[in-house]
Amino acid sequence: MTEDTNARIDQLVKSHDVVLFMKGSPLFPQCGFSSRAIAILNHLGVEFDSVDVLQDQAIRQGIKAYSDWPTIPQLYVHGEFVGGSDIMMEMYESGELAQLFGGEQPTAA
């Protein structure tokens, strides 16, 4: 990864409270894992920014090196790497993700 790409990713991670690197957009996710990550964040009522890695090959490859995590999506909260969709799901099911965002786990309607 180039220094420029690393700096760009670092800026994205540190300039947003919650940022999801994903395939596609929140309105049109391009893979099931990104769709699941969006659904979890939406269900928790979390405001977040997103980065479509499909729009920038350097970011798509660079984010994997930045986090030392091989898959996308990737969630960052307050500059810290949280995990991918499987970890998000485990944290959601345990209530840990809701706690991370300072709230209660929503109940099913």
Side-chain angles (χ1 to χ4, degrees), residues 15-104:
S15 65
H16 302 288
D17 286 341
V18 180
V19 63
L20 182 69
F21 289 82
M22 62 178 290
K23 293 179 180 175
S25 69
L27 294 176
F28 195 59
Q30 296 291 304
C31 78
F33 297 110
S34 291
S35 181
R36 179 166 62 174
I38 294 295
I40 291 168
L41 293 172
N42 285 341
H43 190 72
L44 291 173
V46 174
E47 289 187 31
F48 64 95
D49 290 281
S50 66
V51 177
D52 181 358
V53 301
L54 298 177
Q55 298 299 315
D56 189 327
Q57 192 63 29
I59 296 289
R60 183 177 185 173
Q61 295 307 315
I63 192 64
K64 296 174 187 179
Y66 183 86
S67 63
D68 195 24
W69 191 259
T71 60
I72 294 167
Q74 294 185 14
L75 178 67
Y76 289 80
V77 178
H78 301 295
E80 298 291 324
F81 177 61
V82 175
S85 67
D86 289 346
I87 290 173
M88 288 175 66
M89 185 58 124
E90 289 173 17
M91 291 176 70
Y92 172 77
E93 289 173 345
S94 73
E96 192 178 351
L97 197 58
Q99 290 175 346
L100 178 66
F101 295 115
E104 296 286 321

